[in-house]
Structures are given as C-alpha cells and as structure tokens.
Amino acid sequence: MARVVRRTWRSDVTSGLPRRDRRSCQYEAYVPDPLAARRMAIDAPVAADLAEAEAAIVELNARHGVLADTEALARLLLRAEAVASSKIEGLEVGPRRLLRAEAASQLGEDPRDVTAAEVLGNVESMAWATGEAANGRPITRDFLLEAHRRLLAHTDHRGIAGHVRTEQNWIGGSSYNPCAAAFVPPPPEFVGDLVADLVAFLNDDMLSPLTQAAIAHAQFETIHPFVDGNGRVGRALIHVVLQRRQLAPRVVPPISLVLATRSDDYIGGLTATRYRGAPTSRAARSGLDDWLGTFATSCTRAVDDVALFEDRIRELTGAWYERLGRVRAGSAAQRLITVLPGAPILTVATAAALVGRSYQQANQAMQRLEGAGVVRQITVGRRNRAFEASEVVDAFSDLERQLASPTGATRQARPVRPVPRRRRD
C-alpha cells in the first residue's frame, strides 16, 4: 500500500540564515506502491482520450510530411522538447541562442553560455535515450543512469551525474530542510527497489504505449531518484517509451511544451497519483484518471500544433526553391534545403557532413543559398563563420509561442510563460 513514513530532520545549520532554514522538524516522506503486476483500471472517457491521442501520434509519424528528410523535423522538435523540459526546471533559453551555442559547441568551442550548455546537455541526453530505445534495447537501471550522466556531464553538477541519490531530497519550501516542503519523495533506502520495479514496468507491454509512458513518468517523478535532473530525465522517459513501443518512431511530439503551458494541471495531475492506501481505492483510481486525462489531451494538443509547424516549413521550402530557380536533384543546394529545417544554423563543415558533399561543394551551395536570401552569414563563438536560416529559427520561435498559449493563438490568449518575442510582420 502507498503510504508515508515519518522521519526526523536535524538541522546542522547554526547561523547566517533565516529561522525557517535553520529549523529541525519531523516530516513525512511518500512511498508509492510498486507498478509491476499492478492492475490498472481506467475509466472509459479517459481511455477514449488516450486512444485518440495515440491515433494522432501514429498519424503524425505515418504522414510523409513536408520534408524529404523526416529526420530534420524530428531533430528540430527534439530540441523544442528539450528546451521546454528545461524551462519547466527554470532554465530559460530561446531557440536562436540555443542553436548558436550548439553551433559553437560543434566547432569545439566553449559556448560561454552556461544555461545554453545545460540545455544542450538535455538535448544530447534525450537524443541518446530515444536513439537507444529505437534500437530495441531493453530499459535498464544503467540506461537511466547513463541518461542522467549525459544530462549533467557538462554542468557544475557532474559530480552527482549518473548516481542514484543516497540522501533525502524534497520539492518546494526551504533549500536547507524538508520541513515546509510541498512534496517529499521516498527516503533513500526505498529508492533502489522502486527503481528496479519501475524498470520492470517499463519493459512490460501490457498497457497501451501512451498509458505506460504517462504512468512511468508520474512514478519516476514521485521516486525522484536523483539529487538533481529528475524532471528532465523523467520527461525524456516519456519519449523513450514512445520510441521503444514504436508509437513515435520518427517524430517526437513536443509534449513538454504543452505541459509547461499547463503547469498547474501538470503538477496537479502528478500530485493526484500520490494516493495513500490500496491501489484499488477510489482515490487511487480517480487520481490516475486525472493524470492520464491531462496527459492525453496535452499529447493531442502537441500533435495538432506540430501539424501547423509542418505547414509553415512546407511554405518556407517552397519559397526557397522559387528564389533559387532551377535546383538539380541530388545537388548540394538541394540537399541543404532538405536539411536546413533540422539544422538551421550551420558552418560549411557541418553542412558538408550533413549533405555528404565536399567542403568546396557545400561552400558553393551555401553561397548560392545566401545570395537567394535563404540563409544569412553570422558569427558564432569567437570568430567562426556560420550561416543561419532565419526563417526556420523564427518558425521555431513561433511554435514555442503558440504552444505557450492556452488556446494556441497568442493574439487571443497571451502566453502563460516566458517565450521569444513575436516577430514584427
């Protein structure tokens, strides 16, 4: 049965802090029920919402889409998802700033942007995790540890990267004690068994993919197995499940962008799953339905907005071909148009690698695209030349703005969180 356990916190902070940070207290830590072998009863309307969301994700992945190289769209949306997941944790960075830091990093330079570097760690961790899941490898404890290690590898927290916590953590309240925390996860002695149970659940295909992803995410956030980075790894886990179960083998819908917009519903849904007592109780079933309903509608909204983003990219690529005039099939210029939506800031060297052409061919093609107004020359890092497809970056920013609005129309309903400024038409 899910329960709380009482613990005593003895403060060793003596001075220099407010009284609330120096206090000792008794607190309650929550220990959830295991997931493996638990029977899940879901109300019919919620099950219908989940089925509708799954159908939308399947259609998104089955559609030929606007890009000859579907990976380009997938790469851009993966960045959008990592940016949003990081924003939920308070890491604010806009698309253009992130892409320029990424280009500098690819050149072997320190991007000199601590926040962008941390978000790039999230991009790398999510890309690795979803790639491993797509290869059909089972999800293991070591898999979770490696995803966490990659997330924090280039931050000040790399000392704890890839390690399950051995101390109590908490959410909200003081940074120095759990006395006024909003939620206290299980004490460390419970974490190992709960992670093992979660791994078993992740490798069991009894539930539908979206249901499994939602429940696994909620359980991961409840366990909070790491000192830091739990939210970002937990949201990456959603896409790991969708990849492993082949529900989203090509394109990751930016679910975190919607969850960030619906932050109150998101936190409320996770909280609702933390019942006390038997998993068959009314509170347990009602809480699960609340969370699954929120998750399903968030997924559907994410897919709908991606469809609008695809339409915008289709318009852009069509306009590029018109500006360029005759473009030979298979040429470096044609290949660059294909990959630009997924890599809108490129150096000539990275362009050559992406399109499989020589440096000289890529450079000539890039000059042609610059002359047609498809890209513009910028400087990244210290003095490195790069090229930016500004219209793609603007479309990426517009997608973020759109998903930050409760209605999807920012002129009607203002974004509920910080987003890039609207472009002047």
Side-chain angles (χ1 to χ4, degrees):
M1 286 191 178
R3 66 195 190 281
V4 296
V5 293
R6 293 184 68 84
R7 293 287 189 270
T8 299
W9 181 269
R10 301 197 183 281
S11 176
D12 59 0
V13 177
T14 57
S15 63
L17 294 172
R19 183 179 298 275
R20 73 170 194 143
D21 294 331
R22 291 184 278 118
R23 62 187 288 209
S24 299
C25 65
Q26 285 199 323
Y27 64 93
E28 293 183 339
Y30 180 76
V31 181
D33 273 320
L35 292 177
R38 187 200 301 179
R39 295 186 64 181
M40 307 286 179
I42 302 169
D43 280 357
V46 176
D49 287 342
L50 287 163
E52 180 181 324
E54 286 199 347
I57 294 173
V58 168
E59 183 182 356
L60 173 67
N61 277 265
R63 199 163 52 226
H64 289 295
V66 304
L67 305 172
D69 180 5
T70 307
E71 289 182 7
L73 177 64
R75 281 196 298 271
L76 198 60
L77 291 178
L78 186 69
R79 289 194 195 95
E81 179 68 0
V83 166
S85 183
S86 298
K87 282 190 175 183
I88 293 173
E89 306 304 319
L91 296 169
E92 294 284 345
V93 59
R96 181 169 274 106
R97 179 177 155 195
L98 177 71
L99 290 163
R100 291 191 177 192
E102 183 178 38
S105 179
Q106 289 170 348
L107 289 165
E109 285 195 18
D110 183 344
R112 297 185 176 184
D113 186 329
V114 174
T115 302
E118 191 157 348
V119 177
L120 285 174
N122 197 10
V123 174
E124 199 276 335
S125 175
M126 189 175 288
W128 174 84
T130 53
E132 290 293 297
N135 291 333
R137 293 182 175 86
I139 300 171
T140 64
R141 182 179 184 275
D142 287 343
F143 176 98
L144 299 179
L145 297 183
E146 178 62 13
H148 186 250
R149 188 194 67 77
R150 288 171 179 262
L151 171 69
L152 300 182
H154 303 292
T155 73
D156 292 339
H157 303 296
R158 54 186 171 273
I160 61 170
H163 299 287
V164 171
R165 63 181 169 91
T166 57
E167 59 191 64
Q168 183 66 67
N169 56 0
W170 58 89
I171 300 170
S174 168
S175 298
Y176 297 92
N177 63 60
C179 301
F183 174 67
V184 182
E189 63 266 26
F190 292 91
V191 172
D193 288 344
L194 286 168
V195 169
D197 169 76
L198 176 61
V199 165
F201 175 78
L202 286 166
N203 290 296
D204 187 342
D205 299 345
M206 293 296 291
L207 297 173
S208 72
L210 210 58
T211 304
Q212 183 183 37
I215 293 173
H217 173 64
Q219 185 80 340
F220 185 92
E221 298 308 320
T222 294
I223 299 169
H224 242 56
F226 303 119
V227 173
D228 186 56
N230 293 285
R232 285 164 286 172
V233 175
R235 283 182 288 276
L237 199 57
I238 294 170
H239 299 293
V240 165
V241 173
L242 301 188
Q243 286 274 7
R244 192 187 75 82
R245 299 288 300 276
Q246 292 295 296
L247 185 70
R250 302 167 72 196
V251 179
V252 176
I255 299 168
S256 289
L257 278 168
V258 181
L259 294 177
T261 300
R262 303 182 60 186
S263 58
D264 289 345
D265 291 338
Y266 176 37
I267 295 170
L270 293 177
T271 301
T273 65
R274 295 163 187 162
Y275 62 89
R276 300 186 190 185
T280 54
S281 68
R282 178 177 296 181
R285 294 184 57 175
S286 174
L288 181 62
D289 284 336
D290 284 350
W291 165 238
L292 292 177
T294 295
F295 189 80
T297 55
S298 296
C299 290
T300 302
R301 165 76 192 278
V303 172
D304 289 344
D305 282 20
V306 166
L308 295 175
F309 180 71
E310 282 189 301
D311 289 343
R312 177 59 182 145
I313 297 299
R314 180 188 292 112
E315 293 172 1
L316 284 178
T317 53
W320 292 344
Y321 280 116
E322 288 183 7
R323 293 178 211 168
L324 285 165
R326 186 172 180 273
V327 179
R328 181 170 52 84
S331 65
Q334 187 271 327
R335 286 293 299 150
L336 275 173
I337 288 177
T338 300
V339 302
L340 271 176
I345 296 181
L346 287 171
T347 64
V348 174
T350 54
L354 276 175
V355 303
R357 298 293 186 270
S358 69
Y359 183 95
Q360 181 179 2
Q361 289 172 316
N363 187 51
Q364 291 173 346
M366 197 68 83
Q367 297 300 324
R368 184 180 176 190
L369 265 61
E370 184 183 20
V374 175
V375 299
R376 67 186 182 95
Q377 195 169 148
I378 62 170
T379 300
V380 297
R382 293 180 179 86
R383 290 180 297 276
N384 296 294
R385 184 184 66 151
F387 295 87
E388 175 183 292
S390 300
E391 292 162 310
V392 175
V393 180
D394 290 339
F396 187 18
S397 298
D398 287 346
L399 173 67
E400 187 178 345
R401 287 184 54 80
Q402 181 178 315
L403 284 164
S405 167
T407 65
T410 58
R411 295 182 187 274
Q412 298 173 7
R414 292 176 61 83
V416 299
R417 53 185 168 78
V419 292
R421 289 184 178 181
R422 180 188 291 119
R423 292 177 292 118
R424 293 182 178 179
D425 297 327

